[in-house]
Amino acid sequence: MKIDPEKQFIPSQESLVKLAIKYEFNLKSFDIAATGIENTTIIASCDEGRYVFRIYRQSKKSNGHIKQEIKFTAFLKSQGIQVPQIIENVDGDSLTVFIVNNVSWQGIAMGFAQGAHPAAYSPNLI
């Protein structure tokens, strides 16, 4: 169940093309990930490969907060922790703001990584 469902992004082929074009991806199809309660997660199949789009819930996080999250993910990756590669858009930015039906949305794109979240995290990893 999603938090504040009325503030969640409702994906469609047309709405996701508006995000995919910001990465020069040619969107073929997509699936909505069943996990997560905060944001909408999309697994996108594009001519260029498979990607994950995270579209943030409306009025939850500022652009600065999301950019801090992106920096933290990059730090984790630099420390050898397996995290998805966040992809820059055509403007060279990791955060993409796009408009659908006169509503502004924040999104990021990541490389698709096969696998599952660990059931538990070791104290060493934490």
Side-chain angles (χ1 to χ4, degrees):
M1 181 172 173
K2 295 280 188 190
I3 295 174
D4 293 328
E6 71 282 356
K7 294 182 179 179
Q8 296 287 338
F9 182 78
I10 307 297
S12 68
Q13 185 76 17
E14 181 182 345
S15 65
L16 286 174
V17 163
K18 292 181 182 199
L19 177 57
I21 201 165
K22 302 281 188 174
Y23 296 91
E24 296 184 330
F25 296 158
N26 185 28
L27 181 69
K28 296 187 320 187
S29 64
F30 68 91
D31 292 305
I32 302 170
T35 59
I37 61 170
E38 270 296 309
N39 308 304
T40 301
T41 302
I42 307 296
I43 301 169
S45 294
C46 304
D47 286 342
E48 299 77 13
R50 289 181 77 190
Y51 301 95
V52 175
F53 294 133
R54 176 185 296 153
I55 300 127
Y56 291 84
R57 177 169 56 119
Q58 281 289 301
S59 306
K60 176 64 178 176
K61 295 182 179 178
S62 68
N63 289 352
H65 187 121
I66 295 169
K67 287 184 178 191
Q68 188 71 23
E69 190 178 288
I70 292 166
K71 285 181 185 177
F72 182 64
T73 301
F75 169 75
L76 293 174
K77 191 170 193 65
S78 75
Q79 299 303 303
I81 296 174
Q82 292 184 358
V83 294
Q85 177 67 43
I86 296 176
I87 300 167
E88 291 183 346
N89 61 30
V90 294
D91 296 324
D93 199 346
S94 298
L95 172 63
T96 300
V97 176
F98 64 108
I99 297 173
V100 175
N101 297 329
N102 296 320
V103 177
S104 181
W105 295 95
Q106 302 154 303
I108 62 172
M110 298 170 272
F112 178 80
Q114 191 70 29
H117 290 284
Y121 294 91
S122 69
N124 195 28
L125 179 59
I126 292 172

